[in-house]
Amino acid sequence: MGTTAAVFGIGAALSAIGTGVSLYSANQSANAQSAIAIENSRATADAARASSRNQQLALRFQQLQEDGAARTAGIQANAILQQSEAATNAAQANIRRQRQQFEALVARQFAALGQGGVSPVTGSPLDLLMENAAVQQEREMIMRDEDEDRRRQAVREAVALQASAGAGGINSGLLSLEAAAAGQRGRNAVAQSRLDLAGNLASARGTRTAAWGQAAGQFGQIGLGAYQFRRSYKTS
């Protein structure tokens, strides 16, 4: 019986050692799983923050460019309209000046004809005055047409620039929204990494719990076997 007891004791001890080793290995594996999960979560969160920050910076830079281009286009449009107005005023002043000069010339011609005893309202003198008046009128009409053409061209350019400025403002608004969305995506990614970490840590805890449960069952089997062996040994 002594040999039998010794053999049983050795077997029970080896079984307990094996169970302890399995439990230790399971705990080590769970610890490693937890450590890896924490490191992965940290790396994922850091990468998400960096990516979100870089996207936001790039979008903010584009937004600044759009804002700058829109402001420049608006300034150019205003400058074109102001220049056009100034040119129109100058053209009108030039027309008035030439008309005054022509009227002064006609007055001098009338005076000269009167002093020479020639009637300025009949015959060749009148024809000459009427011809000169028609030339002056045509000259003024050409000047007005040229000014109108230039003014319309200036308005078209200003309208195009104003449209560009408006489009730039819209693009700036869209970029602002995209930057906000990039920030939200980064926050969502960080939140997801935390959820993943919680799941992995829960899985590691489950591994430990299962290992302890299995070890408890095996230790119970060893204890039960020892108890039954002892009873059988005493009755023999």
Side-chain angles (χ1 to χ4, degrees), residues 155-177:
V155 170
R156 286 193 293 270
E157 293 178 3
V159 168
L161 286 169
Q162 289 170 344
S164 177
I170 293 174
N171 291 337
S172 175
L174 293 175
L175 287 169
S176 179
L177 293 176

Side-chain angles (χ1 to χ4, degrees), residues 105-236:
L105 175 62
V106 170
R108 289 195 299 272
Q109 290 177 341
F110 265 90
L113 290 173
Q115 291 176 358
V118 178
S119 174
V121 294
T122 59
S124 297
L126 178 61
D127 293 338
L128 178 61
L129 291 174
M130 293 180 62
E131 181 179 352
N132 290 339
V135 171
Q136 176 62 25
Q137 185 176 8
E138 183 178 1
R139 184 181 298 115
E140 291 180 5
M141 183 174 59
I142 292 173
M143 293 176 66
R144 289 192 183 93
D145 290 342
E146 290 177 348
D147 178 65
E148 182 63 19
D149 291 342
R150 180 203 49 72
R151 190 188 65 80
R152 289 180 179 178
Q153 179 62 29
V155 170
R156 286 193 293 270
E157 293 178 3
V159 168
L161 286 169
Q162 289 170 344
S164 177
I170 293 174
N171 291 337
S172 175
L174 293 175
L175 287 169
S176 179
L177 293 176
E178 181 60 25
Q184 186 60 49
R185 286 195 296 271
R187 290 188 291 273
N188 291 343
V190 171
Q192 185 61 49
S193 71
R194 291 172 179 168
L195 291 175
D196 293 342
L197 174 60
N200 290 329
L201 292 178
S203 177
R205 287 193 297 271
T207 299
R208 292 191 189 92
T209 302
W212 278 102
Q214 184 178 4
Q218 290 175 349
F219 282 129
Q221 290 294 327
I222 294 171
L224 179 61
Y227 173 74
Q228 291 175 345
F229 177 80
R230 184 176 181 182
R231 287 188 62 185
S232 65
Y233 180 76
K234 284 181 179 182
T235 57
S236 61

